[in-house]
Amino acid sequence: MLELIMNYIVWDPNPSVIHGWERPPWYSILFAAGFVISQQFMVHFFKKEGQNPELVDKLTIYMVIATIVGARLGHVLFYEPAKYLSNPIEILKVWEGGLASHGAAIAILFALWLYAKRTPGQSYLWVVDRIVIVTALTGALIRFGNLMNSEIGGKDTGSDYGIVYAWDTEELLSTLKVPIESIDPYKPADRENELVGNGIVPVNIDLKINKGSYSVEELENTLRRDIKYALTQFSSSQDYLAEPVESPLDMSISDKGDHYLVTVRTFGRSKHPTQIYESVSYFVIFLVLFALWNKYKERLPEGILLGIFLITVFGMRFIWEFFKESQVDFEDAMQFNMGQLLSVPLVIAGIILVIRALRNGLKPIKN
């Protein structure tokens, strides 16, 4: 078991739930699931504390709009303002990616202020303290969605531990002008002797190709040239694979009767699975916040859960950013990236809220 955890895996799940369909992607399903599950938790919180559960629908609308708009504008303003402000229509293309959790956090806090202002009987901090519990759970699901999309990956581990992201390469190879029926990147069991502990690890890629009118010789000449080019000349291949540029492609073709099986023996770069790091962190934070609410409920001093959330979520975000690839080019020259710089004031705000809440102490038990 320990060997499985400490060794690398080749990761290439299809981002789409239904094979062959671009929509819906796993990311969208998990994103939506986070809101659905969160809504049920909020109904539970409202009922247990004597609030009207019908208000949860109103609260959900505020949350959904704030999350999507805030996350998008956060990315636009914090990471690529020149690109989007020069062509504002691109801001609307959310499906192309580009969401920032810091922007979502700011927008959610503002939206909840509007909600509390228009909802008698619920203070701002009371609402936010309950929302952050389910926000941590939703964050865990969203990061798992990033994993299914093979995006927001980490830096090279420099060891045999990690993930080789192979989906981009699989998509690239699918564009070859031969009748490919399937592509399967995997970790070969017979190449363990090639592991040297430097993060460059063996990867095999099987391509099942319809025979058509190709002879073995014709197919081999075509594939040796085109696959070598695909594995060495594209940025996605260079980021995730380590195919030697100078040496000939290590490839074999076998005749399987109704098709050819092409096996390419190459190398990948083991990366930190930062999506897993963050997802697990957020889920643990959710459990801690929920346990505190479950024990004290309405006795909790206002702001305590929000403070803990800000300290832990953005504190962990600051740490995990050291292991993540830069989202935009300008971050390469920064000692601390944009995600870390934006986390600092939120952590400080969390510390102030926790100190304030601890001074107020638990509210007395109602008779």
Side-chain angles (χ1 to χ4, degrees):
M1 181 65 180
L2 181 61
E3 182 181 355
L4 177 64
I5 295 174
M6 296 306 295
N7 217 328
Y8 73 100
I9 64 172
V10 176
W11 185 252
D12 72 321
N14 192 317
S16 298
V17 177
I18 304 173
H19 184 69
W21 293 58
E22 187 176 347
R23 297 285 186 270
W26 278 109
Y27 179 85
S28 297
I29 295 295
L30 290 165
F31 195 102
F35 280 101
V36 172
I37 296 170
S38 296
Q39 187 178 42
Q40 299 310 306
F41 270 102
M42 291 303 296
V43 169
H44 175 69
F45 297 157
F46 275 45
K47 287 181 177 179
K48 286 291 184 179
E49 298 194 50
Q51 296 288 334
N52 181 5
E54 293 181 2
L55 289 173
V56 173
D57 290 336
K58 174 184 174 183
L59 179 59
T60 301
I61 293 173
Y62 277 84
M63 286 292 296
V64 171
I65 295 174
T67 300
I68 296 174
V69 174
R72 184 57 170 172
L73 292 181
H75 179 84
V76 169
L77 297 175
F78 298 145
Y79 290 96
E80 298 182 279
K83 171 186 173 182
Y84 288 104
L85 296 181
S86 63
N87 189 11
I89 195 67
E90 293 291 322
I91 297 175
L92 301 177
K93 298 180 180 180
V94 180
W95 58 88
E96 292 183 357
L99 301 174
S101 59
H102 296 87
I106 295 170
I108 287 171
L109 292 174
F110 176 71
L112 294 179
W113 175 79
L114 290 177
Y115 164 83
K117 186 178 180 181
R118 300 173 183 178
T119 308
Q122 294 182 0
S123 72
Y124 175 64
L125 285 179
W126 183 92
V127 176
V128 178
D129 275 340
R130 276 73 188 161
I131 281 292
V132 294
I133 301 174
V134 296
T135 299
L137 176 60
T138 301
L141 291 172
I142 288 173
R143 279 295 179 256
F144 191 73
N146 293 137
L147 178 66
M148 297 302 293
N149 269 12
S150 297
E151 62 188 4
I152 315 184
K155 298 177 180 178
D156 291 358
T157 65
S159 70
D160 296 338
Y161 156 80
I163 284 183
V164 177
Y165 296 100
W167 176 250
D168 283 354
T169 300
E170 184 173 333
E171 280 202 308
L172 185 60
L173 292 177
S174 69
T175 64
L176 295 175
K177 295 181 179 180
V178 292
I180 297 175
E181 295 182 3
S182 65
I183 303 173
D184 180 27
Y186 60 95
K187 174 182 176 180
D190 59 347
R191 297 178 60 192
E192 291 187 355
N193 61 315
E194 299 178 51
L195 291 169
V196 294
N198 65 348
I200 305 301
V201 296
V203 174
N204 281 12
I205 305 174
D206 282 351
L207 296 92
K208 182 180 177 182
I209 299 178
N210 189 294
K211 279 188 171 182
S213 59
Y214 285 97
S215 67
V216 172
E217 294 76 15
E218 291 173 330
L219 188 62
E220 182 168 4
N221 290 335
T222 299
L223 291 180
R224 280 196 181 278
R225 179 190 68 245
D226 293 350
I227 292 178
K228 186 70 176 183
Y229 186 86
L231 298 186
T232 58
Q233 301 302 312
F234 289 86
S235 59
S236 59
S237 298
Q238 294 168 0
D239 288 341
Y240 301 123
L241 297 183
E243 169 65 22
V245 176
E246 302 300 331
S247 60
L249 184 69
D250 188 353
M251 185 189 81
S252 62
I253 302 178
S254 55
D255 190 331
K256 297 298 182 180
D258 62 337
H259 67 274
Y260 294 119
L261 179 63
V262 178
T263 298
V264 177
R265 288 169 288 277
T266 185
F267 294 89
R269 300 181 181 277
S270 58
K271 304 277 188 178
H272 283 285
T274 47
Q275 310 97 328
I276 298 176
Y277 299 164
E278 287 195 75
S279 184
V280 172
S281 298
Y282 298 159
F283 186 70
V284 170
I285 293 168
F286 158 73
L287 293 177
V288 170
L289 295 175
F290 180 76
L292 286 171
W293 173 85
N294 194 49
K295 183 174 182 179
Y296 297 108
K297 296 185 178 64
E298 65 273 7
R299 294 191 63 208
L300 286 168
E302 290 190 347
I304 185 71
L305 296 185
L306 172 60
I308 294 172
F309 173 87
L310 293 175
I311 294 169
T312 54
V313 167
F314 291 102
M316 293 306 301
R317 175 73 185 270
F318 188 93
I319 294 171
W320 296 138
E321 287 293 326
F322 284 114
F323 299 92
K324 291 165 68 173
E325 293 281 9
S326 299
Q327 292 192 49
V328 287
D329 292 340
F330 73 79
E331 290 183 312
D332 293 335
M334 300 170 66
Q335 182 177 1
F336 299 109
N337 66 28
M338 184 61 71
Q340 291 173 310
L341 295 177
L342 293 172
S343 294
V344 171
L346 293 172
V347 171
I348 294 173
I351 293 172
I352 294 172
L353 284 168
V354 168
I355 293 174
R356 173 182 176 275
L358 291 177
R359 285 176 177 171
N360 291 335
L362 291 172
K363 296 176 182 178
I365 299 174
K366 294 181 180 179
N367 296 326

